[in-house]
Amino acid sequence: MSDPALCARCKGARRLCGRPKCPILERIEANIKLLERIGKLGAQLYGLTPPSTLVGEYGYPKVNVILNIPPTAEIPADEYEVPEKWWGRKKLEDIIRLRSMLIGSKFRVGIKERDNKLLEAAREAAISIKPVDAEAIFKRPPRFRLSFDGIIAPLGPSGDVKRVYIVGNPVVPRRVDQLMEDEDVRASDAIVELYRSGISVYQIERLLSLGLLGRKRDRRLVPTRWSITATDSVLADRLLKKVREYEEINEIRIYSSEYIGNHYEIIMVPGAWSFEMIEIWLPRTIWVKAEKPYISVNYELHDGKWRKEGVDGGYHAMRMPVLAYLYKERRQARVIAIREVSPSYYAPVGVWQVRESVRAALARGYEKKESLREALYDISKRIKTPMNLVLANSYLLRRMLTQEDLLKYMRH
Amino acid sequence: MSLKMVFSDARQWRYLVDTFSTLIDEACFIVSPEGVKLRALDPSRIAMIDFFLPPEAFEEFECTEETRLGVNFDDFKKIMRRGKSKDRLELELGESDRRIKIRFLGRAIRTFSLGLLDLGGEELPLPKVPFTVRAKVLSDTMKEALKDAEIVSDYVRLEGSEDKLSVKASSDRGNVEVDFTPESGSLIELEVKEPSSASYSLDYLSDMMKASAISDILTIEFATNKPLALTFDLPGGGRLTFFLAPRIES
């Protein structure tokens, strides 16, 4: 790995170095001791799934589908997969521990396959908004392991299943039921409908990934990693159509939050919608061996199209909550979202962390500033990266500081 | 109110609409017996379009009273992109129509209709700028010069002196300088009241330069740290001017 930026761009997700498995993630996985071995695993597992499912991407269009079931009832089942409730409450260790206690019952299936009993069972569980009793019978007992990924939440041990039974009754909101039944509604419209009716994005992602939304001929399994980004970008694009018509905010605002070694600063400036993500990985963080921080930037202008190559799930996970917030406020703004990651974020837990942190920062309310310079000065005291380095990497901030507008020449 | 306009080359309109759509989402064409105009600011109010085409530019031009045609440029663009090289273009709005008919007259007669938007608003004043440099250049050469500059930076510095117009860009990636002189053949006219220089965003400039497909010659006007005006002469005495606010490095 000669290019120090390679790992930061890849985040273990795109195999940019050409290896089958990310060596950095492998090392993290080896170093984290499973705090509690859950006792010996048998070939049979009975428990309440939160529900928690995963569709892999390896081997696409034949993919692994996993239904996660915790083997113990000591922890309430609905705590294993609730990012919106983890935020601010669970420490990094807690999340890793929770996830390591989920046992995956795994099977392989074509993305358009029909009449697969295992898949039907996984779907039946996935549509529920409450934990469901499930039983899995493995081909051989699952082995202990834990794996990480830049986009999705950590994954515990898993094994190939022979049979899966959903024993309990899934609780399915009416709107979810209707949209699954309706095979004429496009997936993007279904996503928006569900979101409007108050279904969480995590539930929507799950439905989309299991091929339960969309027009009949378009339905297929969607790897979880893709479905997360798709849900964020579909929702954000739809919200943006409205936001672009709203009045501009009339003051400069800063919002901030911090969670498990990730610090966020969000600046809003009066003006037509534009958005920039500035993601900073400090030295000695997961992806950065070098002594210099790695800064990745992407931005969009009023048209809502990102301008640089290599946009990833993190960009969409920041943009979506920002647009949801502006939509609720009926305002538009120019937005700069800074994420600074410190070494204490020693294992990646998924982009939900980004989405929830941005949400939390916005929910907490803003501090009003007199000028952009004042806002940047304030922020420079809270982040470790020198502001000059941030400015040198940013496109929108520099533009805000230097670009005039025509209005003052139009007042005669 | 009803109107009908026939234009001999559908492609020219396609280039125009393409150029407009990179800067604005929606705007109003105002059609009157004097011709067609459009004046609009981009959403960030950094750039302005001021467009005018007289009846003489058209093969056929029928309009009895002022009519406002509010369009969404994304939709308009999609239709205009269907125009082929030998097509003529006809725009028609019947009495009390809510949609404008866009017709390509070529090997077949292809008719599209586009919903009109009710866009209110009074006419925008033009920016008032005491320009100190005025230069006429070949639009292709300018387009290339801006592409050269894009290699190193996202903005350019224009400098006008007595004998040349320069386009400069610099960053830690390197420097680029393109000179337009009377000898090089690309500078057709140069009027300099005082040596001047100003910086402008390349994003906007390259969007505006898309209009070079319709006009070979381009007039650039600017002044130190003041907005820029780019004017393309259009057939039949029409013109298209873009204004662009400067970047001020502090």
Side-chain angles (χ1 to χ4, degrees):
Chain A
M1 278 167 289
S2 50
D3 175 6
L6 193 71
C7 299
R9 272 196 284 130
C10 170
K11 292 180 189 160
R14 297 143 116 202
R15 281 189 235 129
L16 294 184
C17 65
R19 298 177 204 215
K21 172 87 194 157
C22 172
I24 297 177
L25 291 178
E26 262 184 337
R27 203 180 53 235
I28 297 171
E29 284 155 19
N31 286 346
I32 292 177
K33 296 185 190 79
L34 298 186
L35 298 169
E36 278 159 67
R37 298 256 155 150
I38 318 146
K40 197 161 165 47
L41 291 172
Q44 203 165 353
L45 176 63
Y46 185 86
L48 271 172
T49 174
S52 164
T53 57
L54 185 109
V55 177
E57 63 195 78
Y58 189 75
Y60 192 90
K62 262 200 170 270
V63 292
N64 279 328
V65 175
I66 293 177
L67 174 67
N68 283 316
I69 305 168
T72 146
E74 280 163 39
I75 299 167
D78 53 9
E79 278 190 24
Y80 289 97
E81 195 157 294
V82 271
E84 55 280 58
K85 291 198 183 135
W86 288 342
W87 195 92
R89 294 192 184 95
K90 299 277 185 233
K91 290 184 294 207
L92 191 56
E93 298 76 60
D94 298 337
I95 290 156
I96 295 170
R97 195 162 120 216
L98 270 176
R99 299 298 294 186
S100 70
M101 290 168 71
L102 279 176
I103 312 300
S105 36
K106 183 170 73 181
F107 54 93
R108 209 160 171 75
V109 56
I111 54 161
K112 288 206 129 185
E113 209 170 303
R114 284 161 179 272
D115 304 322
N116 179 311
K117 280 198 178 135
L118 293 170
L119 183 57
E120 286 318 311
R123 281 177 168 157
E124 200 183 333
I127 58 177
S128 180
I129 50 162
K130 291 250 164 70
V132 193
D133 269 314
E135 186 181 6
I137 296 160
F138 294 96
K139 288 181 182 156
R140 73 197 83 67
R143 286 189 305 140
F144 285 106
R145 68 185 267 274
L146 183 59
S147 61
F148 292 94
D149 179 295
I151 303 291
I152 56 190
L155 214 58
S158 64
D160 295 331
V161 280
K162 256 196 294 202
R163 278 193 295 277
V164 174
Y165 302 104
I166 302 303
V167 191
N169 282 326
V171 180
V172 188
R174 204 167 48 93
R175 207 76 193 94
V176 172
D177 207 32
Q178 283 168 348
L179 285 160
M180 288 191 315
E181 290 297 314
D182 193 332
E183 293 185 315
D184 298 317
V185 178
R186 282 168 178 273
S188 57
D189 293 325
I191 290 171
V192 173
E193 275 297 302
L194 290 172
Y195 179 75
R196 280 215 188 105
S197 66
I199 304 292
S200 93
V201 289
Y202 303 100
Q203 168 83 353
I204 301 174
E205 280 161 20
R206 199 152 51 223
L207 296 171
L208 181 69
S209 78
L210 284 167
L212 292 165
L213 302 176
R215 292 187 295 194
K216 188 170 185 183
R217 64 185 153 94
D218 296 334
R219 286 194 188 191
R220 70 198 64 191
L221 295 174
V222 179
T224 300
R225 217 186 296 184
W226 309 353
S227 83
I228 291 174
T229 303
T231 304
D232 277 340
S233 67
V234 162
L235 287 174
D237 287 347
R238 200 62 71 97
L239 293 166
L240 177 57
K241 280 192 181 164
K242 288 281 171 210
V243 166
R244 273 157 57 161
E245 292 172 3
Y246 294 151
E247 259 176 55
E248 297 169 6
I249 58 168
N250 36 31
E251 66 277 294
I252 294 174
R253 309 173 173 183
I254 318 182
Y255 302 79
S256 44
S257 69
E258 177 144 349
Y259 179 54
I260 51 175
N262 286 260
H263 185 88
Y264 293 83
E265 295 284 347
I266 294 154
I267 312 170
M268 294 196 185
V269 177
W273 164 260
S274 53
F275 175 79
E276 183 168 62
M277 171 199 82
I278 303 174
E279 186 181 285
I280 308 165
W281 290 82
L282 289 170
R284 286 175 297 279
T285 46
I286 304 167
W287 312 113
V288 183
K289 281 196 204 139
E291 289 300 308
K292 281 195 296 184
Y294 174 77
I295 304 185
S296 132
V297 172
N298 211 324
Y299 69 94
E300 62 188 61
L301 300 176
H302 197 62
D303 60 5
K305 291 181 186 115
W306 39 271
R307 291 296 202 276
K308 292 197 186 170
E309 289 297 303
V311 68
D312 69 7
Y315 182 81
H316 293 290
M318 284 184 126
R319 179 178 180 254
M320 206 289 277
V322 167
L323 279 163
Y325 174 84
L326 287 171
Y327 177 77
K328 233 174 96 192
E329 293 258 300
R330 307 234 173 278
R331 284 285 183 276
Q332 64 175 318
R334 295 183 279 173
V335 182
I336 307 285
I338 302 173
R339 170 187 178 201
E340 190 184 57
V341 190
S342 2
S344 63
Y345 187 59
Y346 59 83
V349 294
V351 287
W352 63 267
Q353 174 272 124
V354 176
R355 192 183 303 105
E356 295 303 326
S357 297
V358 171
R359 239 182 225 169
L362 297 171
R364 197 180 286 173
Y366 58 87
E367 223 183 302
K368 201 169 141 179
K369 291 289 153 200
E370 287 309 313
S371 69
L372 181 55
R373 285 185 191 280
E374 192 194 324
L376 294 177
Y377 177 72
D378 251 53
I379 290 171
S380 73
K381 290 185 286 188
R382 291 194 291 261
I383 61 173
K384 298 182 181 76
T385 314
M387 194 46 83
N388 277 342
L389 193 58
V390 176
L391 282 174
N393 282 280
S394 159
Y395 175 84
L396 280 188
L397 277 175
R398 265 187 304 145
R399 183 162 129 167
M400 284 176 194
L401 291 169
T402 59
Q403 176 69 57
E404 287 205 338
D405 65 37
L406 287 174
L407 292 182
K408 75 173 187 194
Y409 299 96
M410 292 164 61
R411 294 181 205 113
H412 304 314
Chain B
M1 66 184 182
S2 68
L3 64 89
K4 184 175 168 187
M5 300 178 274
V6 181
F7 198 77
S8 60
D9 184 354
R11 261 185 327 167
Q12 299 231 347
W13 268 82
R14 169 190 167 162
Y15 296 138
L16 272 176
V17 171
D18 254 1
T19 311
F20 292 174
S21 73
T22 60
L23 293 168
I24 50 181
D25 303 329
E26 42 189 46
C28 226
F29 284 99
I30 299 175
V31 187
S32 73
E34 280 81 56
V36 183
K37 343 180 249 193
L38 178 141
R39 189 176 288 175
L41 270 177
D42 89 295
S44 6
R45 300 171 297 247
I46 293 167
M48 182 190 268
I49 300 173
D50 185 39
F51 163 75
F52 171 69
L53 210 53
E56 294 74 47
F58 295 86
E59 273 185 18
E60 214 179 300
F61 190 91
E62 280 169 38
C63 172
T64 46
E65 61 180 301
E66 187 175 290
T67 310
R68 298 170 69 90
L69 306 176
V71 296
N72 173 306
F73 274 90
D74 228 23
D75 299 337
F76 196 17
K77 175 179 78 183
K78 281 181 194 146
I79 296 176
M80 294 308 294
R81 283 197 170 164
R82 300 297 306 148
K84 301 285 183 281
S85 69
K86 285 185 179 127
D87 287 352
R88 292 188 304 147
L89 171 72
E90 180 183 293
L91 300 173
E92 188 182 23
L93 185 73
E95 205 71 45
S96 69
D97 275 1
R98 295 294 301 146
R99 287 163 174 272
I100 183 161
K101 286 201 182 73
I102 301 166
R103 204 166 276 141
F104 296 109
L105 311 169
R107 290 197 168 173
I109 296 174
R110 292 143 66 218
T111 306
F112 297 78
S113 74
L114 174 69
L116 294 176
L117 309 173
D118 199 5
L119 301 175
E122 65 275 35
E123 196 177 345
L124 293 165
L126 287 179
K128 272 220 173 87
V129 189
F131 294 120
T132 50
V133 176
R134 183 172 178 280
K136 261 194 179 177
V137 298
L138 294 180
S139 44
D140 266 358
T141 320
M142 180 53 73
K143 192 175 175 182
E144 290 303 313
L146 296 175
K147 277 193 184 160
D148 292 341
E150 261 174 10
I151 296 175
V152 297
S153 182
D154 46 23
Y155 58 96
V156 278
R157 189 152 191 86
L158 296 186
E159 289 184 11
S161 61
E162 267 157 49
D163 53 354
K164 69 175 181 189
L165 173 74
S166 311
V167 175
K168 295 181 176 176
S170 64
S171 72
D172 49 10
R173 279 174 281 165
N175 299 310
V176 174
E177 176 169 347
V178 182
D179 291 330
F180 292 77
T181 60
E183 299 80 53
S184 67
S186 52
L187 183 65
I188 300 158
E189 268 176 50
L190 178 66
E191 256 176 70
V192 177
K193 287 186 189 147
E194 61 185 64
S196 312
S197 66
S199 297
Y200 303 97
S201 153
L202 269 170
D203 268 355
Y204 279 93
L205 283 175
S206 30
D207 284 348
M208 294 170 178
M209 287 310 291
K210 287 192 179 141
S212 65
I214 341 171
S215 179
D216 298 337
I217 294 175
L218 159 71
T219 307
I220 299 178
E221 293 163 285
F222 65 96
T224 298
N225 292 344
K226 292 279 180 330
L228 161 95
L230 287 185
T231 303
F232 295 90
D233 289 327
L234 302 178
R239 96 198 118 57
L240 169 61
T241 302
F242 295 106
F243 292 91
L244 176 60
R247 290 185 55 137
I248 313 279
E249 296 293 327
S250 46

